[in-house]
Amino acid sequence: AAEYYRDVPRNALSKEEMWTRIQEKTRQEAAERSTAMDPTEAEFVKMEEELREHDKLHYQLGLIAFPDEQRRRDYYSMWQLAMSLNKARWTMLEIHSQRGVKTTGAGLKMLFWKESLYEIAEKLDMAQGQFVDSHPVLRPFAGAVKRAPRITKTFIRGFADARLKVVQQPGNVKQLFDHFDKFYGWIVKDDHAEHVMCHVGRAIGLTQHCVMFWKKYAQIGFTMLPADICADNHVNLTLLRNISLASRDRAVRRVLCEVMSIVKDEMLHAQEAAKHCPPKMWPLLMEAMYPNYYLGFLQRHEFNVSAMFADHNIENAGLAWYRFKKWHEWKTYQDPQRLLAEAAPIPYLGFSIGHRGSRYQQAGKDGNTPRKECDHKQ
C-alpha cells in the first residue's frame, strides 16, 4: 500500500495557487449572482409601459420626482410589485367568496410571492427555475434591493405580509394603518419627509380601499371598513352585501363619513409635519391630492362613491383641474404645507369660485370621531 500511494501522482498546486483558485471561483459565482439580479433594458421598458397603461399617476410622479433614471426605475419597480401583491390578494378574496371552490391555486400564488421576496431579501439571490429568475416584476425589484440599502429584510417582510394578508374585516383603524403605511420608508431618506408620507399613505389607503372601493369589496363578501366604527353605527357585512340598499342607507354613509374624518385628521397631521419637510420631496407630496380632493367631493355628493364614476378610478375633470391648481400653487409658493392643504385656489386669482373645502369635526382626545357632522340629511 505504501508503494502504491508513493507512485500515485500528487497535486502539484501550492497553497497560494489553491487560494487563488478559490478566490477566482468565489468571484465567478458572485458575478453570476449579480447578473441574475440585474434586469435588462427590455425588462425596464416593459415595466414602464405597464405602469404607463395601468397606473398613469405614479408613472407621471416618477418622471417628475426622480430625474435620475436608476432611482426612477427603482421607484417604478416597487409600485409594480405593490400592484402585483394587491392583485394576488384580490384573487384570494374572490376565491374565498365562492363557496366550494378550492383555494389551492391562489394559496400557491401567494406562497410564490412570499418565498420569492424572502429569498431576494435574505440571500440577495433569485431562486433558479419556476420562472422566478425571469419574472418581469421580481427582476426589477431584485435590482432595486441590490442598489438600495434601506430596503431591509424587515421592511420587505412587513411590506409583503401586509399586502398579502386576507382579512374579512379589520377590527379597527390601527390594523388598517399597519397595512397602508409600509411603503415610503425605503425611498424617503429624510426622517421628516418619511413621517409626512406615512400620514399621506394612510390617508390614501383609507380613502381608496375603505371608502371608494367599499362596493367592490362588499360584492365578494368582504369590507375594509373597521368593525368598531361599523358596530357603533349598526352596520354589518350582511347590510353591506346588499349593495342597492346599503348605497342609500344613512348608517352606511355615516360610517363612510367617519372614515373620511380620520382621513382629514391624517392630512392635518401631515400638513403640520410638512414644515420640516425638504422642498425637494414635493413630487411625492403631490400624491396627497387624491385624499384631499375626495374629502370635499364626497361630502358635496353626500358620500355617494359612484358619483361621476369615482369608484371606477376614472379621472374626472374635477380631479384633473384640482391637480393642475395644486401644481401651479407649488410653482408659485414652493411651500410644502400649502401643497398638503386641501384648499386649491385658482391660478393668478388666489381664491376658488363655487368650491368650498370639506368641513369635518376632528376626533377628540379619546380618539372617538364625533358624529354631528355625519348626521346630515342623506
Side-chain angles (χ1 to χ4, degrees), residues 188-196 273-285 330 334-337 339:
V188 180
K189 298 182 179 180
D190 182 84
D191 292 338
H192 297 294
E194 183 178 349
H195 182 210
V196 171
K275 59 186 176 183
H276 304 295
C277 184
K280 65 181 180 180
M281 300 307 302
W282 76 269
L284 292 180
L285 299 182
W330 169 257
Q334 302 280 310
D335 185 359
Q337 284 190 295
L339 185 61

Side-chain angles (χ1 to χ4, degrees), residues 173 176-177 180-185 188 191-207 259-275 277 284-285 287-292 295 340 362:
V173 177
L176 292 172
F177 286 171
F180 294 136
D181 63 1
K182 294 185 181 297
F183 179 78
Y184 295 99
V188 180
D191 292 338
H192 297 294
E194 183 178 349
H195 182 210
V196 171
M197 294 309 300
C198 177
H199 287 294
V200 172
R202 292 174 178 180
I204 294 172
L206 290 173
T207 303
V259 173
M260 292 306 293
S261 297
I262 301 174
V263 172
K264 179 71 172 182
D265 195 43
E266 289 297 319
M267 291 309 303
L268 289 177
H269 282 303
Q271 185 180 357
E272 177 63 25
K275 59 186 176 183
C277 184
L284 292 180
L285 299 182
E287 295 195 29
M289 69 181 179
Y290 183 86
N292 273 337
L295 280 170
L340 288 173
Q362 300 309 298

Side-chain angles (χ1 to χ4, degrees), residues 42-53:
E43 290 171 326
F44 279 130
V45 172
K46 183 179 179 180
M47 175 187 67
E48 292 174 357
E49 291 178 351
E50 185 82 9
L51 271 177
R52 188 189 298 116
E53 181 178 352

Side-chain angles (χ1 to χ4, degrees), residues 308-335:
M308 300 179 69
F309 304 102
D311 56 345
H312 291 278
N313 258 2
I314 296 177
E315 184 176 284
N316 55 63
L319 180 57
W321 174 233
Y322 184 84
R323 181 172 67 239
F324 174 77
K325 289 190 292 184
K326 297 302 291 185
W327 176 83
H328 186 274
E329 185 180 29
W330 169 257
K331 292 297 183 183
T332 304
Y333 298 100
Q334 302 280 310
D335 185 359

